[in-house]
Amino acid sequence: MVDLSQYLPILLFLGVALVLSSAFVFLPMLVARLTGAHKPTAEKLSEYECGFPAFEDPRSQFDVRFYLVAILFIIFDLEAAFLYPWAVSVFQLGWVAWGSMMLFIAELALGLVYAWKKGALEWE
C-alpha cells in the first residue's frame, strides 16, 4: 500500500499558492470596484502599447520602427540577463570567460551601431 501522507506538504503548498495567486488577481479588482476607482473612460481604454488599434483592417500600414525598437530592447535586456551572472562569477571563470563576454558585448555593440546607422532609433 502506498503512503499518500508524504504528498500532503505538496498539496498544502499548491493550495496556498492557488489561494495567494487568486487573491493577488481578484482582490485589486474587487477593491477598485468598491472604492470607485473603476471608472473606464475612452482614454483609459485606448491602445497604449503598439500605438494603433488592435482590431482594424489587417492590411493597413503601420510604422515598423516600433518593432525594431522593441527587438533592440529585448536584445539588450537579454544582454543584462547574461551579464549579471557572468559578473558575479568572473573571477572563478578565468580569462576565457572574460574574453568570450567581451566578444559578446562587442557583437552587441556592432549590432547597435548598425541599427543606429540604419535609422532604427530615429523617431519622428
Side-chain angles (χ1 to χ4, degrees):
M1 178 125 164
V2 177
D3 186 22
L4 296 178
S5 65
Q6 295 174 351
Y7 292 104
L8 184 63
I10 295 172
L11 288 175
L12 287 174
F13 178 76
L14 289 175
V16 169
L18 182 66
V19 168
L20 283 177
S21 61
S22 298
F24 284 138
V25 170
F26 295 114
L27 278 179
M29 291 190 285
L30 179 68
V31 169
R33 295 240 183 217
L34 292 177
T35 61
H38 179 75
K39 296 178 184 172
T41 62
E43 187 67 30
K44 286 182 182 178
L45 297 175
S46 67
E47 299 81 17
Y48 61 91
E49 282 188 0
C50 58
F52 57 89
F55 301 106
E56 280 189 350
D57 183 25
R59 292 179 293 271
S60 65
Q61 291 189 0
F62 57 90
D63 198 1
V64 76
R65 285 180 289 185
F66 171 79
Y67 296 104
L68 292 175
V69 170
I71 288 171
L72 286 173
F73 171 75
I74 289 171
I75 289 170
F76 286 102
D77 189 41
L78 285 174
E79 176 194 10
F82 285 133
L83 197 60
Y84 181 73
W86 171 81
V88 170
S89 61
V90 67
F91 295 116
Q92 288 84 23
L93 296 175
W95 287 102
V96 175
W98 186 85
S100 62
M101 184 56 74
M102 293 305 116
L103 180 66
F104 177 67
I105 292 173
E107 287 175 354
L108 286 175
L110 186 65
L112 178 63
V113 168
Y114 177 77
W116 199 332
K117 292 287 184 184
K118 286 294 185 179
L121 301 176
E122 298 294 327
W123 207 263
E124 296 171 358

